[in-house]
Amino acid sequence: MKGVDGLVTKNLFLRLYPFGYKKQLFPAAVLSARLGCGKGGLAWAPEELLAESLQVEPGCVTPLALANQDSCKHVLLLLDQKLQAPGCKFCVHPIVNTASVLLDAAGLDAFIKGIGRTPIYADLEADPKIDKDNPPDLKQFADTIEPPPKDANNGGNLSDTVNLQVLRHLESVFRSADANGSGELDMEEFVAAFKGVISTPEGSDDEALRKLFMRIDANCDATVGWDEFSAYLLLEKTNSSGGAAVQGQAVPDGSSGRTFSTTSPPVLQPGVAHRELISSLMHVDTGNGPDKWYSLAGWQEGGGGGLGLGGGRELLAVGDADGGVSLMEVLADDVADKKSIDRYHGRQLWRCVNHQDWVVGLTPLPQLSSLLAASLDKQLTMTDLERRIAVKTLSGHEKAVTCCAWSGMYKMAISGGADRLLVLWNPFSSRPLGQLAGHVAPLVAVAVNEREHQVISAAADKTIKVWDLRNQRCLQTLQDRATHSPEDTLTALAYSPSRKLLVSAAYSLRAWPLTDGAAGGCGHRDPVSWVGFNPMFCEAVSTDHAGTVCVWHVASGKLRFAFANTHGSCRISAATFDSNHRRLITGAEDGSVKVWNFSSGALLSTLATPNYSREWGSGSGAEVTGLAVSGSNNALNLVVAGWDRKVTWYDDSGKRRCNLLRSSSGPGSDILAAAPMQGYPTLATACYNGEVWLWNLESGAVRRKLLPQGHASRPVNEQPVERLAFMQGDARHILVAVGADRMLRFWECFSGALLCEHFTAHQQGESVAGLALAPDNSSLVTADTAGYIMAVVQVVAKGAAPVVPEPGSIVIAKVTKVSPTAANARIVCCGAQALEADFSGVIRQQDVRTHEIDKVVMYDCFRPGDIVRAKVLSLGDARSYHLSTADNSLGVVRAKSLAGVAMVPVSWQEMQCPQTKAVERRKVAKVEEA
């Protein structure tokens, strides 16, 4: 400016771009390195960030804008040391660019100190050496500034600024680091190439970049190609793997309908209760008069359906145990007490039989002049009320149908069953429209709230779910906390549109009023089906019934990433990590199994699972309930168990489609859970009939079957084993199982002994939905379907862990049987320690010696009663280890002659009786003297 003495200054408001920037300012890379941010490059900050932070217009960057202290807390002010020259003056804008203020260093320092900051002067044109011995000289000042939040527009997240320009820059860096031209980088090359170029939510240091490399290298081949890297960036940014969820955000519910009060529901009519469980509940809207509620109890376990008022008569349909439906006229005794439940009785008008088993649910279809009946024979029928014949049959449930309802607005029938599913039916085509999955216990009742477009279902575990018929999503889950005696369960539901009241029944009626507001959510919109902790990345991964996978930061509890529609419309029923914790394996209710890179949502592999739709029906016939990984890094297998009552092995070769290797059938009932033993090729499976099977993961053979004493005398509903878990470390051979009888059982797997039992104290009717053990085996917790952790058990180990033969172990065994192809033996010692449990072994003909195998005669090598020193080759088949004596130090170490005298060896294949001098052939061990 004319007439004003002073330095000409330039005020720059810069932003650090972690990926680098094409048009860098000089000396941007140097200044970035001096600040300890690598050489990513500094460039002009966008106008919106200028307005947000300094709160000034473009062309008005000034240090005086730091007076806006709240918005500038993420801004670092650096001043060139030339401004400290004696007598130096300079001009700055006073927040607006239409004026200037003449200052000197002392005046500017006074302003900066007045707002609580310390003036920082530096030679901004210097280029000092920065290496391991010379740390960044300006980093100490940068560390004093509070970093902006991760979701702010600061470029600090790997996926925040992914665009074409950034991708081109990253590809250039990638190609430059590929010195051998292979098109791939190993971990160290990747870290060296991108250090200072990119940053992640974990940071930009070497450890953070190594974690990023492992996220991208989900197939664990120790290299990353450009296609893998770019696909990871784009998938994390756009979540394009079929995801409806948004990265870094909770999944919006999209359903804002009214829901029911979650407070403890009051009894509808205090002092009135049935002596038996209510099997059916009906609501009758009488217009101007008070509503009527009909409850039916003690009618041969049957259901009932009210047909409303007509001609002065109240009609009631009732089902019976022989598959029949009766139409009753409800009559009232005018003499009896009007408050007595014994005042009403029924007179049968007609009866027809259309089912082969109990009819447990009935509902009228007024628009079709029909009656819908649900039966334990797995079918529903629509009976014409005039002709009294079945005009439609609806088939699709896997197990017994227990309840039904009708929506006149949607012209839709709804049924619930023991398979825990709600099925929506088109009554005209007799085909299902959809399924609603989320309950963990058999359904007992269903009701419809047409005004709010809702269907309400109740399960035997006293859980009530409210569903939106429009998008088939669960809006709310209610839990009846009241205790019903003698049977603590729910049996019926009904809804009153006029009173906006949901009524549940057991022995009495309880009311749930309709309220404004929607059920909120955080991350998942549907019930969570599995959660696991990944120690590799210190993250938790969860799945739900809608097929959504969420990845969470454990330290902050925030959602890092989510992807959805993993199995189409089917719910995820099982999940696990691979042995390297790089991939997520998910199984669904339709039997499908997929392998994912859970860090990006990329689908890596699909298992060639059988199509059970013809055998079981669509939906949940071959539901996957257990997943495991077996084998070594060179030959990995995926193991699947489920409702098909099989354990199936698949080739995990890294191909897009994993082929079936073998399948083993064993349990005679559905497999409900599975758990692999740590560091040992054993898989435990829990069955609906109460059995626990132990499988050899290498051979597919069954090792042992575990079943507690008195199991057959227990009620059928208390027999299933619901959850399994192995203990860790030296106690890894101990299996913890929890069943429907609410008992914890500790099994010693090698001997099959039941060590102890413990009652979990869960209430009757609630299923145990979770079982977890502490890594040090000090405690375990169980959780029930009501959502509460009900039991914490202190686990105390008594004595040292027993010795168990493992591949490579040297064992002492006693021969029990000799056949032309093998010798069976009982293992008594492993190393120098005696075994507490019995273990069987087999020495096959090809494992006796290393030469002339085809000439081996088993009876010339071993005899029953011989003591043999052998080496464990593998876990073998069934219950026997594979043993080998194919070494000079292995073979028979002690044998008795026909005279009963201990023989002495005379050669590597002969032993002599010292009493009779008779020579007998053996495969003799040459034991070195100690």
Side-chain angles (χ1 to χ4, degrees):
M1 295 187 299
K2 294 183 178 180
V4 179
D5 295 332
L7 291 179
V8 177
T9 62
K10 183 66 174 178
N11 301 311
L12 303 179
F13 183 54
L14 307 178
R15 168 185 172 178
L16 173 66
Y17 285 81
F19 299 110
Y21 199 76
K22 189 173 182 179
K23 298 180 180 178
Q24 294 185 4
L25 299 168
F26 180 81
V30 174
L31 185 57
S32 177
R34 293 176 66 187
L35 289 169
C37 302
K39 297 184 179 181
L42 292 167
W44 302 113
E47 294 183 10
E48 56 270 19
L49 189 58
L50 175 65
E52 178 184 343
S53 299
L54 298 186
Q55 299 187 15
V56 297
E57 299 291 333
C60 190
V61 178
T62 169
L64 302 183
L66 293 180
N68 301 311
Q69 298 184 47
D70 291 339
S71 60
C72 292
K73 60 184 178 180
H74 308 305
V75 178
L76 172 67
L77 175 64
L78 293 177
L79 302 170
D80 196 301
Q81 64 184 16
K82 294 185 178 67
L83 299 180
Q84 290 182 303
C88 176
K89 295 185 178 181
F90 46 89
C91 292
V92 296
H93 291 303
I95 306 299
V96 296
N97 59 3
T98 57
S100 296
V101 177
L102 188 64
L103 293 175
D104 58 11
L108 183 59
D109 290 353
F111 165 76
I112 295 174
K113 292 178 181 178
I115 61 175
R117 290 183 177 236
T118 301
I120 301 173
Y121 291 92
D123 183 0
L124 301 183
E125 296 182 0
D127 186 7
K129 182 179 181 181
I130 297 176
D131 53 25
K132 181 173 64 174
D133 299 324
N134 300 281
D137 59 325
L138 300 181
K139 187 177 186 299
Q140 57 178 322
F141 306 119
D143 291 342
T144 64
I145 301 301
E146 178 184 350
K150 293 291 184 182
D151 56 351
N153 188 20
N154 63 352
N157 198 328
L158 180 62
S159 62
D160 283 345
T161 54
V162 175
N163 52 40
L164 181 59
Q165 178 179 321
V166 169
L167 284 175
R168 286 176 175 172
H169 176 73
L170 293 177
E171 183 178 12
S172 175
V173 175
F174 189 97
R175 303 298 183 194
S176 300
D178 183 18
N180 59 6
S182 64
E184 296 179 331
L185 301 181
D186 60 24
M187 182 179 289
E188 296 308 317
E189 290 175 333
F190 182 87
V191 172
F194 290 101
K195 186 176 182 180
V197 177
I198 59 177
S199 64
T200 71
E202 289 88 357
S204 57
D205 56 5
D206 290 4
E207 184 62 28
L209 292 177
R210 289 191 179 94
K211 283 188 176 181
L212 174 61
F213 180 90
M214 289 187 289
R215 292 185 190 277
I216 302 170
D217 181 32
N219 60 1
C220 301
D221 62 358
T223 60
V224 166
W226 170 246
D227 290 342
E228 287 181 279
F229 186 26
S230 59
Y232 174 86
L233 294 177
L234 295 174
L235 281 174
E236 189 183 34
K237 174 65 178 177
T238 64
N239 196 21
S240 62
S241 65
V246 180
Q247 181 262 339
Q249 298 180 0
V251 182
D253 194 332
S255 300
S256 57
R258 303 175 69 187
T259 53
F260 294 91
S261 172
T262 58
T263 57
S264 180
V267 177
L268 191 63
Q269 190 171 355
V272 177
H274 284 277
R275 291 183 289 270
E276 298 181 56
L277 281 172
I278 296 172
S279 60
S280 185
L281 178 65
M282 292 146 286
H283 166 259
V284 177
D285 190 347
T286 59
N288 297 329
D291 288 359
K292 288 187 177 181
W293 300 88
Y294 287 105
S295 57
L296 182 66
W299 186 278
Q300 298 182 357
E301 302 292 336
L307 301 182
L309 298 170
R313 298 195 303 175
E314 297 182 15
L315 302 180
L316 178 68
V318 180
D320 57 47
D322 297 325
V325 175
S326 300
L327 186 64
M328 313 287 293
E329 182 181 6
V330 180
L331 302 175
D333 187 349
D334 296 332
V335 180
D337 183 2
K338 293 184 178 182
K339 294 183 179 181
S340 172
I341 62 174
D342 298 324
R343 180 189 177 201
Y344 296 94
H345 62 277
R347 181 173 66 90
Q348 182 173 309
L349 301 179
W350 54 258
R351 180 177 182 269
C352 65
V353 178
N354 294 320
H355 289 278
Q356 303 298 319
D357 208 332
W358 277 343
V359 174
V360 293
L362 290 165
T363 189
L365 282 59
Q367 295 89 340
L368 304 179
S369 299
S370 301
L371 183 68
L372 183 65
S375 172
L376 299 185
D377 62 5
K378 307 179 185 178
Q379 293 183 336
L380 297 101
T381 58
M382 292 170 53
T383 301
D384 188 289
L385 289 174
E386 295 182 359
R387 294 182 291 169
R388 307 174 191 177
I389 61 173
V391 293
K392 296 280 187 180
T393 300
L394 310 180
S395 301
H397 279 279
E398 268 310 304
K399 299 180 180 180
V401 185
T402 55
C403 52
C404 59
W406 168 255
S407 171
M409 176 185 295
Y410 286 91
K411 302 295 188 295
M412 178 190 298
I414 303 106
S415 64
D419 54 4
R420 304 169 294 170
L421 296 175
L422 274 178
V423 180
L424 311 180
W425 298 91
N426 181 342
F428 306 101
S429 65
S430 303
R431 294 181 179 179
L433 298 172
Q435 290 182 343
L436 305 179
H439 283 284
V440 295
L443 274 70
V444 295
V446 60
V448 177
N449 176 8
E450 292 185 333
R451 187 173 300 174
E452 300 297 333
H453 313 282
Q454 296 172 348
V455 59
I456 307 143
S457 57
D461 60 356
K462 302 193 299 182
T463 298
I464 301 174
K465 288 185 177 291
V466 184
W467 310 82
D468 192 319
L469 278 172
R470 295 165 296 184
N471 56 27
Q472 300 182 14
R473 296 286 186 184
C474 182
L475 299 177
Q476 187 182 22
T477 299
L478 306 170
Q479 189 70 38
D480 184 3
R481 306 292 179 194
T483 301
H484 308 288
S485 179
E487 293 186 49
D488 191 19
T489 185
L490 288 181
T491 55
L493 282 180
Y495 179 73
S496 169
S498 58
R499 297 183 59 184
K500 299 178 181 177
L501 197 67
L502 174 67
V503 175
S504 62
Y507 296 92
S508 58
L509 307 185
R510 294 183 177 270
W512 307 75
L514 189 68
T515 61
D516 291 323
C522 182
H524 289 285
R525 294 176 293 184
D526 295 84
V528 175
S529 58
W530 177 86
V531 62
F533 176 70
N534 190 296
M536 177 71 69
F537 303 113
C538 294
E539 293 175 341
V541 180
S542 56
T543 66
D544 65 23
H545 286 185
T548 300
V549 177
C550 292
V551 183
W552 308 84
H553 281 294
V554 172
S556 65
K558 294 181 179 179
L559 180 66
R560 189 191 74 81
F561 184 73
F563 56 100
N565 297 332
T566 52
H567 290 267
S569 60
C570 297
R571 62 184 175 89
I572 297 177
S573 55
T576 189
F577 296 111
D578 68 353
S579 55
N580 295 302
H581 292 89
R582 303 278 189 90
R583 302 174 300 165
L584 177 70
I585 307 163
T586 60
E589 63 178 346
D590 63 346
S592 62
V593 179
K594 297 181 180 181
V595 183
W596 306 86
N597 180 346
F598 63 88
S599 295
S600 66
L603 177 61
L604 304 177
S605 303
T606 301
L607 272 62
T609 52
N611 183 1
Y612 292 100
S613 59
R614 294 182 179 178
E615 179 181 355
W616 298 85
S618 61
S620 60
E623 179 175 319
V624 176
T625 56
L627 295 166
V629 180
S630 68
S632 61
N633 290 332
N634 296 327
L636 285 175
N637 297 326
L638 299 180
V639 186
V640 182
W643 283 12
D644 59 356
R645 307 178 182 182
K646 298 178 182 178
V647 176
T648 308
W649 280 257
Y650 295 87
D651 175 27
D652 184 20
S653 58
K655 298 180 180 178
R656 294 290 295 179
R657 189 166 181 83
C658 302
N659 295 320
L660 188 149
L661 296 178
R662 63 178 177 271
S663 182
S664 297
S665 299
S669 63
D670 296 349
I671 296 176
L672 303 183
M677 185 186 297
Q678 179 194 38
Y680 207 75
T682 297
L683 178 73
T685 57
C687 304
Y688 185 81
N689 62 5
E691 298 174 346
V692 176
W693 291 57
L694 301 179
W695 303 78
N696 186 328
L697 283 175
E698 292 182 347
S699 65
V702 178
R703 289 187 179 280
R704 194 177 294 276
K705 183 172 67 174
L706 308 176
L707 192 66
Q709 291 183 354
H711 174 76
S713 62
R714 294 188 179 91
V716 175
N717 63 333
E718 294 187 0
Q719 292 183 1
V721 178
E722 297 175 327
R723 289 292 181 269
L724 296 172
F726 277 99
M727 300 183 77
Q728 307 295 311
D730 293 338
R732 66 179 185 269
H733 60 285
I734 297 178
L735 175 68
V736 184
V738 60
D741 58 354
R742 298 165 291 155
M743 294 292 295
L744 276 172
R745 293 182 174 87
F746 294 78
W747 296 91
E748 206 288 324
C749 292
F750 296 118
S751 65
L754 178 61
L755 302 179
C756 64
E757 294 181 315
H758 178 83
F759 183 62
T760 60
H762 291 286
Q763 293 188 5
Q764 187 176 10
E766 292 180 351
S767 299
V768 177
L771 170 64
L773 290 96
D776 60 354
N777 300 322
S778 61
S779 62
L780 64 83
V781 294
T782 58
D784 60 28
T785 50
Y788 292 97
I789 297 176
M790 300 293 292
V792 179
V793 181
Q794 296 297 322
V795 181
V796 180
K798 295 183 178 180
V803 179
V804 177
E806 295 185 356
S809 301
I810 301 298
V811 298
I812 303 298
K814 183 176 182 180
V815 177
T816 58
K817 177 184 177 181
V818 179
S819 69
T821 58
N824 297 89
R826 179 170 58 87
I827 302 174
V828 295
C829 291
C830 181
Q833 290 185 280
L835 299 178
E836 298 179 3
D838 291 334
F839 297 93
S840 298
V842 58
I843 305 173
R844 299 172 298 181
Q845 187 178 19
Q846 64 267 32
D847 298 324
V848 173
R849 62 192 186 203
T850 57
H851 61 285
E852 296 182 334
I853 296 175
D854 56 328
K855 297 181 180 180
V856 171
V857 178
M858 296 301 296
Y859 200 71
D860 287 345
C861 299
F862 310 102
R863 302 282 177 87
D866 288 355
I867 304 300
V868 178
R869 187 173 189 265
K871 181 179 180 181
V872 178
L873 289 179
S874 68
L875 301 179
D877 296 325
R879 302 180 183 180
S880 297
Y881 287 82
H882 282 172
L883 307 179
S884 171
T885 58
D887 187 85
N888 290 339
S889 63
L890 305 176
V892 177
V893 295
R894 187 176 187 275
K896 290 185 177 181
S897 66
L898 296 176
V901 179
M903 295 190 293
V904 295
V906 294
S907 70
W908 70 271
Q909 57 183 356
E910 290 180 335
M911 301 184 81
Q912 187 179 42
C913 175
Q915 179 176 324
T916 63
K917 306 301 181 181
V919 176
E920 297 182 17
R921 297 182 65 85
R922 295 287 196 280
K923 198 290 180 184
V924 182
K926 183 180 180 182
V927 181
E928 300 292 337
E929 294 292 337

